Amino acid sequence: GQQVMQIPQYQHVQEGEDFTTYCNSSTTLSNIQWYKQRPGGHPVFLIQLVKSGEVKKQKRLTFQFGEAKKNSSLHITATQTTDVGTYFCAGWDSGTYKYIFGTGTRLKVLA
Amino acid sequence: GAVVSQHPSWVICKSGTSVKIECRSLDFQATTMFWYRQFPKQSLMLMATSNEGSKATYEQGVEKDKFLINHASLTLSTLTVTSAHPEDSSFYICSAREWETQYFGPGTRLLVL
């Protein structure tokens, strides 16, 4: 079946360092969303990317959608302790139209 | 943005009892809602797609007789865990789709003793 893998699975960074998580789908996605889930919380929508090659920025966060619409990345510049959480990508598979979550990347920021 | 509520937020029950979880879209109508389950330190796994006025579509490996889904209106879907067992203890999250964006409920933590 379709898989959406994220790497790395875990990342510990020192506060102020940059962080990137990569999302790779085995099939083409019609669009992709990114979520942040704090420990004990539910996924909170961050952003949606629709177009091939699209790049969007939200303050220190930069999101990119691959040209083939099968991969995406989230880059955080100068991490802060408030960035702690698990970041998930998710998207609609353009064939089955199922909404699939990535495996997630758990970020820990050390002060 | 759109708001999705879930009730209850947490529930503890005895093994063998049934638990009903409600998912409501508060300020929009959702013809499709989704139910996910998340075990600790794992990703969200889609259990089923709930369609208003018709039967839910279950993912492979999810027992439809155990996880009863009802989507009787455009703003309400319910998930009933029947004859719950300790292995059903998990975090259950619903979501509702408005256009291409998914909005998630706050989740329900179920602990079966």
Side-chain angles (χ1 to χ4, degrees):
Chain A
Q2 185 206 17
Q3 290 186 355
V4 180
M5 304 296 294
Q6 281 180 252
I7 53 171
Q9 191 176 3
Y10 304 98
Q11 182 91 55
H12 292 184
V13 299
Q14 206 67 36
E15 189 174 21
E17 291 182 342
D18 292 354
F19 159 76
T20 303
T21 170
Y22 299 92
C23 171
N24 297 293
S25 172
S26 58
T27 58
T28 303
L29 301 170
S30 58
N31 55 52
I32 198 160
Q33 288 88 34
W34 282 91
Y35 297 84
K36 176 182 177 182
Q37 185 177 24
R38 292 184 184 272
H42 64 282
V44 173
F45 175 78
L46 293 177
I47 208 158
Q48 174 172 277
L49 303 167
V50 177
K51 299 177 185 173
S52 168
E54 188 171 9
V55 177
K56 284 189 177 180
K57 289 193 174 186
Q58 274 182 1
K59 296 182 181 178
R60 296 180 292 106
L61 278 60
T62 302
F63 304 84
Q64 199 162 12
F65 199 10
E67 292 290 341
K69 301 185 86 173
K70 294 175 78 172
N71 53 67
S72 181
S73 66
L74 157 59
H75 178 82
I76 302 178
T77 305
T79 54
Q80 299 174 358
T81 53
T82 52
D83 295 327
V84 164
T86 302
Y87 292 85
F88 292 100
C89 63
W92 299 97
D93 178 80
S94 50
T96 64
Y97 218 63
K98 287 188 178 179
Y99 195 74
I100 306 295
F101 270 83
T103 49
T105 296
R106 196 166 342 142
L107 172 65
K108 199 164 188 176
V109 179
L110 307 169
Chain B
V3 177
V4 175
S5 71
Q6 242 179 282
H7 178 80
S9 55
W10 59 270
V11 58
I12 301 173
C13 69
K14 290 183 179 179
S15 187
T17 59
S18 293
V19 175
K20 181 187 271 190
I21 303 170
E22 292 186 349
C23 177
R24 292 181 186 275
S25 57
L26 297 185
D27 50 1
F28 68 103
Q29 293 182 331
T31 54
T32 305
M33 291 184 175
F34 302 88
W35 287 95
Y36 295 85
R37 182 166 52 182
Q38 186 179 34
F39 291 108
K41 298 184 181 178
Q42 292 188 24
S43 185
L44 280 76
M45 298 303 297
L46 179 64
M47 297 175 67
T49 303
S50 171
N51 301 298
E52 187 266 336
S54 64
K55 290 182 180 178
T57 305
Y58 290 82
E59 293 301 300
Q60 195 170 13
V62 179
E63 299 174 57
K64 61 180 180 181
D65 293 331
K66 180 163 184 67
F67 299 99
L68 300 178
I69 291 173
N70 184 274
H71 194 156
S73 77
L74 287 170
T75 59
L76 173 64
S77 175
T78 60
L79 167 69
T80 302
V81 183
T82 62
S83 187
H85 291 288
E87 57 265 31
D88 298 323
S89 299
S90 189
F91 188 42
Y92 292 87
I93 308 175
C94 72
S95 69
R97 192 177 94 199
E98 187 181 42
W99 300 108
E100 292 289 331
T101 301
Q102 287 265 51
Y103 296 95
F104 285 85
T108 297
R109 295 199 181 275
L110 171 63
L111 177 61
V112 185
L113 302 176

